[in-house]
Amino acid sequence: MRFERTITVVGAHVGGEENDVIVGGVLPPPGKTVFEQKRWLETEGDWLRRWMLFEPRGKPSLCINLVVPACDPRADAGFIIMESSDYPPMSGSNTICTATVLLETGMLPISEPETRIVLESPAGLVPVIATCENGKVERVQFTNVPAFATHLDAHVEVPGIGTVTVDVAYGGAFFALVSAPALGFEVKPHEARDLVAVGQTIKAAAAEQLPVVHPENPEIHTITFTEFAMPFDGPGTTSRNAVIVSPGRIDRSPCGTGTTARLAALHAKGRIRTGEGFTHASIIGSTFDAAITAEGQVGPYRSVTTTIAGRAWVTGIFQHGMDSSDPFRAGYTLPDLWFGHQH
């Protein structure tokens, strides 16, 4: 066994969504901010994402986080999120897993009953409150970046489906939110494949017909997720959802950025107010607790600040090696799992 390089990863999941964390073997990418470091990986260092997330090491449902030193002096650590087809500027489930790994491995000091840290995501600073007992993180609540709705009840013409009514909101990425019952869905596990197929079609149509750009960072643009939402029965209730992640799979967790985007859309419609919240459930029944804590302004949009809370579990520690003689060391995909994506 002779590896040309070795990368150490701590496995973790939140709500069934596997979000592993690279803790060794990769130096911080160039850049004055974590966003610039993310852009460098996208344009110059994408081998890492492909090597870790493509087969034979990875799978479509896996995400990887690279821990980096914080660029902002107000933060304790930075992290760059890598998904199977892109680098989202923010992810709630990845925030919860990364915070849990940093504390449970001792990379950041843990204190009980509560540890407060600030993580620097590519989208901005993310304050975290971790509830801790006996050296374990039992709950992570983070304050997400400001969220806002850009379109309410917009009509999108979707090939093969017809006219679909969507809300578009930013919660760390841009989402097209649609009513699941209006499209014949209940967000149940047996619908997963059909939800993916319809969701990807809606996303492509919405991204083309409803262009969006973050007013404070034009490099964050375009609808990247479809979110199927079951009815919202008011503050304090539970509602189920399914977020479709490219190249074609369902977020196993309730999706932190998707939950934030939904809160922004509900607030814009006057259905939930500051100080109120609800429980968001995933297609497999895992939950996040979500609330609106403040209002603000992002460019021309009224914004909300939200808190999202959930729990992650560490699943193992892995050392991945790169063997120069391995013909598949750069990774590959096949469209039986990767839905039209072949590399």
Side-chain angles (χ1 to χ4, degrees), residues 3-314:
F3 291 148
E4 59 185 72
R5 74 177 302 154
T6 304
I7 292 177
T8 303
V9 173
V10 176
H13 85 86
V14 55
E17 177 80 352
E18 188 177 0
N19 299 153
D20 293 352
V21 182
I22 298 172
V23 297
V26 182
L27 291 174
K32 296 178 182 176
T33 65
V34 174
F35 188 87
E36 288 183 7
Q37 293 177 333
K38 172 191 94 82
R39 289 290 297 143
W40 188 90
L41 281 178
E42 282 182 300
T43 56
E44 305 291 336
D46 194 47
W47 68 268
L48 177 63
R49 180 186 65 88
R50 289 183 278 110
W51 186 59
M52 296 297 298
L53 294 181
F54 286 1
E55 297 179 68
R57 290 171 189 82
K59 55 190 176 185
S61 59
L62 177 63
C63 302
I64 291 281
N65 299 278
L66 174 62
V67 171
V68 295
C71 297
D72 190 310
R74 296 170 292 177
D76 297 286
F79 69 112
I80 299 166
I81 308 143
M82 290 171 272
E83 295 188 348
S84 48
S85 62
D86 65 357
Y87 295 75
M90 175 56 189
S91 166
S93 62
N94 284 284
T95 297
I96 293 170
C97 284
T98 300
T100 299
V101 167
L102 286 170
L103 294 174
E104 290 198 3
T105 61
M107 293 179 73
L108 290 178
I110 189 171
S111 59
E112 300 177 10
E114 190 175 274
T115 305
R116 291 176 179 258
I117 59 174
V118 177
L119 299 181
E120 184 178 359
S121 77
L125 296 180
V126 183
V128 169
I129 302 174
T131 304
C132 307
E133 185 176 351
N134 296 324
K136 283 188 64 65
V137 177
E138 298 200 332
R139 186 176 189 263
V140 171
Q141 176 180 289
F142 68 91
T143 300
N144 204 354
V145 296
F148 51 89
T150 61
H151 300 78
L152 298 175
D153 298 319
H155 289 164
V156 174
E157 299 303 319
V158 182
I161 299 174
T163 303
V164 175
T165 301
V166 308
D167 297 330
V168 179
Y170 177 82
F174 283 105
F175 289 76
L177 298 104
V178 299
S179 165
L183 290 158
F185 292 111
E186 298 179 273
V187 188
K188 296 289 183 67
H190 71 272
E191 299 171 332
R193 186 175 288 270
D194 291 336
L195 283 164
V196 165
V198 173
Q200 288 291 83
T201 306
I202 291 172
K203 184 195 80 166
E208 180 182 357
Q209 295 169 41
L210 302 173
V212 286
V213 178
H214 194 292
E216 295 179 351
N217 186 346
E219 293 194 64
I220 299 175
H221 59 87
T222 308
I223 295 166
T224 51
F225 301 101
T226 299
E227 180 172 349
F228 291 93
M230 290 299 287
F232 175 72
D233 295 325
T237 63
T238 298
S239 180
R240 201 162 57 253
N241 88 108
V243 168
I244 311 305
V245 182
S246 292
R249 58 101 175 177
I250 292 178
D251 191 326
R252 273 63 174 150
S253 81
C255 187
T257 50
T259 300
T260 298
R262 190 170 186 196
L263 281 170
L266 289 169
H267 182 268
K269 291 182 170 185
R271 302 197 61 198
I272 193 166
R273 296 179 297 181
T274 300
E276 296 177 333
F278 79 120
T279 298
H280 221 193
S282 75
I283 194 169
I284 62 170
S286 53
T287 59
F288 286 164
D289 295 323
I292 297 175
T293 58
E295 299 178 33
Q297 194 79 18
V298 176
Y301 305 112
R302 287 187 63 195
S303 67
V304 294
T305 298
T306 67
T307 58
I308 309 292
R311 182 177 182 180
W313 285 264
V314 171

